[in-house]
Amino acid sequence: MSMMSVKGFDAFYGRSQALRNFSIELKSGEVLCLLGRNGAGKTTALKTIMGTVRPAAGTLMLDGKDLTGVPAKDIPRAGIGYVPQGRRLFTELTVWENLEIGLWTRNTDVSALDHALELFPVLKERMTQRSGTLSGGEQTMLAMARAMCINPSVIMLDEPTEGLMPSAIAGIRDAVIRLRDEGVAVLLVEQRVDAVLSIANRVAFMDHGEIKAEFDIEEVRANPELLHHYVGVGR
Amino acid sequence: MDIAPYLLLATLEGLVQASVLMLTALGLSLVFGVMRVVNVAHGEFFMVGALIAWACGVYIPGPPAVGFVIGLVVAPLFVGGLAWFADWAVLKRINYNPEGTIVSTIGMLYIIQQFALLTFGPDARAVDAPFYYTIRTPWFGYSSYKLFIIVIALALVAGLWFMLRRSKVGLLMRATQFDKETAQNFGIPVDKVYSAVFAIGAMLAAIGGVLVVPNQQAHYLMGTDPLLLSFVVVIVGGLGSIPGTIAAAVLIGLSDGLLSVFFSPTLAKIVSTLLVAIVLVFKPQGLFSGKGARA
Ligand SMILES: Nc1ncnc2c1ncn2[C@@H]1O[C@H](COP(=O)(O)OP(=O)(O)OP(=O)(O)O)[C@@H](O)[C@H]1O
Ligand SMILES: [Mg+2]
């Protein structure tokens, strides 16, 4: 049973505070959805967990191991997979080279790759293609596959469906469900509320760098006006 | 009188010069490409390599070839270590800040130069070529050592290409070059990659220095020319592009050889400087780099 726990993260860009007392807990086999308006600090929260934004305060634990303040490169090695906003593929490198880097991270064996390719079989035919030439949907699949190659116990996805067609979105959602059911803990940043409702177990609302409220998905389903209240969208 | 032999001679001289230039410029280009550091002290690594080659040639007993081979091994190792130290002691501490690295590598330039002056003195030092076999053509004899320089340079470039394109380490370097933050998100130790790249860049310059001493005397001020020519090559070839750097080195080396033989070395320098100006104005991404074509 794996578990990630973030407690009391503060983070700054220069003198402006981007995270205030940011805390979340994430268990294996569940999807926690992070919602918030543009600029609320969602991406910053993920970057701070990944260690590329250094927190001024707070702690990060994974499976009882203290990861607070470790070098950024050790976060993925501890088992946190990351699908950044905008995908951030190594677009000059081939599809295979991107996956190879994922496999390198924790020296995982190819079964992790096989698993990813089983979810995204289109990538198999594209191995030698420069990843920057993939379609938008394929790029997102590759970003997910790359993160899956590290065999993560936690995976964090930052708006993976941004700018995708409904058919591609369905593929990503199926993959997230599959990961969740296999016991991966999923932290999902998402703007599309409909997508959230169908796969999340819990929803956390964020504003001005702070978690304002957290609900089980049943509460949100029962009271859709919560969504309106916290992120200004209705159903 | 026939022009063909002169043309052949000038071409050979140009290719020899291009080979050394290619090594030195590739070092500069690799460091800039991956680390975004403009290493003003690059020519000093070349100079230290040359002086070590001289010392090995003079103090190691036996035939010149023994000293040469030992120099070819010791010089890049020593210079690589020096660069590793410089990266650790200076560049890392200023977080590879672009302006900061320019100023601090200028500082390194003077420190290394003065150390070389104190250790080796101001004299120009000559070294015997490791072998003297002369290749006869119908018109002139040509030093086989110079052809050997071309062979060594090509072998090293092939090795570098293989390392970057076919090895795991090269893959991590290319990923770091492309997106440092995402590289870290996949566990790549960016600081170690930087140290290694800075050392490898310096080693390439040092080997260039070793290869050059049998033709050209070693001297504590000899780093300036290779630095300037490397900048010319790197700008003409496209910053950080390895195929572009190779092509530009051949172009600049050949034009330098041809113009020097038929006209004057000064004209050769004028032409390459003009070429830089033209490239900077009309094709600032470099003559040989397509959009985003980075190695
Ligand atoms: N590198 C940076 N330097 C300075 N300020 C930044 C930087 N990155 C983000 N910010 C600021 O921090 C705040 C939070 O940004 P962040 O990207 O985390 O928001 P977000 O919730 O992910 O937004 P979006 O939904 O648009 O992706 C914003 O006000 C943003 O302008
Ligand atoms: Mg964001």
Side-chain angles (χ1 to χ4, degrees), chain A residues 13 18 37-44 85 159 191:
Chain A
Y13 289 118
R37 294 186 178 91
N38 291 120
K42 306 178 295 293
T43 299
T44 304
Q85 188 164 21
E159 303 195 27
Q191 300 273 4

Side-chain angles (χ1 to χ4, degrees), chain A residues 47 50 52 72-74 76-77 80 82 84 87-93 97 100-102 104-105 143 146-147 150, chain B residues 165-166 168 171-172 174-176 178-192 291-295:
Chain A
K47 284 188 177 181
M50 291 310 293
T52 45
K73 69 167 175 30
D74 291 335
R77 289 179 177 183
I80 302 184
Y82 184 35
R87 310 177 195 105
R88 300 281 288 258
L89 294 175
F90 300 108
T91 52
E92 301 270 301
L93 308 189
E97 286 171 331
E100 213 181 353
I101 287 170
W104 176 85
T105 306
R146 181 178 64 172
I150 82 166
Chain B
R165 285 303 166 131
R166 292 280 175 274
K168 276 275 151 55
L171 179 65
L172 304 185
R174 285 183 292 143
T176 304
F178 190 71
D179 183 343
K180 179 182 163 191
E181 187 177 324
T182 307
Q184 285 182 317
N185 290 336
F186 282 87
I188 297 177
V190 165
D191 48 348
K192 288 211 183 89
K291 241 202 310 210
R294 287 246 149 83

Side-chain angles (χ1 to χ4, degrees), chain B residues 27-77:
Chain B
L28 194 69
S29 175
L30 186 70
V31 166
F32 179 81
V34 177
M35 307 166 69
R36 302 277 127 180
V37 165
V38 176
N39 179 17
V40 183
H42 195 62
E44 305 318 303
F45 292 140
F46 178 92
M47 176 271 287
V48 173
L51 283 174
I52 291 176
W54 169 79
C56 289
V58 170
Y59 293 113
I60 288 170
V66 175
F68 175 80
V69 170
I70 292 177
L72 198 53
V73 174
V74 170
L77 287 181

